Amino acid sequence: MRRYRLRMIASRFDTERLALLPLRVEYAEEMAKVLATPELYTFTGDAPPTAEELAGRYERQLAGPARQDEYWLNWVISSLQDAALVGYVQATVSGSEAEIAWVVGTTWQGRGYAKEAAIGLVNWLRAQGVERIIAHVHPDHTASAAVATAAGLSRTDHLDDGEHLWQL
């Protein structure tokens, strides 16, 4: 028997210190400042996006994928203490599997925000019925490895485009 799922939509959820807010194009200007530090791109080779580039990216993300059985879920991370945007989390869901990613701006790193947001994301996805959660982490990115571990994922020996596959 084939299981059918209603359309999956990112909804706001909170953790102890963070609000994870569904992505909106209006966040592009503030997020461009959050993502402006070149050090954030050490392991990806990318460059900091402009507000205009982010707005275009957010429009595409909000439009969603062409595949009807795939969902792009994106949130910005906001500090409940001062409402500042500090980063983002995202999940691409296909069937009962989700691939997740997280980024916290350098100004806010070292406070446990990435771990808290990733744990919250995994819990949210599990509550939606997602059974398998994966992430890709560069072998030298110890901070992201710690986030993946805290979120309950385990590193596998599988390398994909130079990054280890982590899974729950």
Side-chain angles (χ1 to χ4, degrees), residues 22 47 51 60 75 86 98 102 128 149 151 154 168:
R60 289 187 300 280
W75 293 263
V86 302
W102 52 84
Q128 309 308 309
T149 299
S154 300
L168 175 73

Side-chain angles (χ1 to χ4, degrees), residues 9-162:
I9 299 172
S11 59
R12 177 188 169 139
F13 63 93
D14 292 356
T15 63
E16 183 180 332
R17 301 175 298 155
L18 305 171
L20 285 89
L21 308 173
L23 184 66
R24 294 188 352 216
V25 174
E26 293 80 15
Y27 295 137
E29 190 169 328
E30 186 175 354
M31 284 301 297
K33 295 172 188 169
V34 171
L35 303 174
T37 310
E39 291 80 20
L40 280 177
Y41 307 93
T42 300
F43 297 104
T44 63
D46 296 330
T50 65
E52 295 78 22
E53 290 169 336
L54 272 184
R57 180 184 309 167
Y58 291 173
E59 286 174 0
R60 289 187 300 280
Q61 289 173 328
L62 290 167
R67 290 182 45 188
Q68 293 206 351
D69 64 340
E70 184 174 278
Y71 303 97
W72 293 347
L73 307 173
N74 298 277
W75 293 263
V76 294
I77 305 168
S78 176
S79 165
L80 287 171
Q81 180 180 3
D82 59 10
L85 299 185
V86 302
Y88 67 87
V89 294
Q90 57 190 42
T92 299
V93 179
S94 181
S96 62
E97 178 176 293
E99 180 169 353
I100 64 171
W102 52 84
V103 174
V104 170
T106 55
T107 300
W108 300 275
Q109 290 178 1
R111 301 179 191 185
Y113 286 168
K115 287 181 185 178
E116 188 173 327
I119 291 167
L121 176 59
V122 166
N123 290 338
W124 187 92
L125 289 166
R126 299 291 295 218
Q128 309 308 309
V130 174
E131 297 170 1
R132 182 170 187 249
I133 298 173
I134 64 170
H136 289 87
V137 177
H138 191 280
D140 297 329
H141 201 319
T142 56
S144 276
V147 170
T149 299
L153 282 70
S154 300
R155 193 192 82 155
T156 69
D157 291 330
H158 180 78
L159 279 174
D160 187 10
D161 202 21

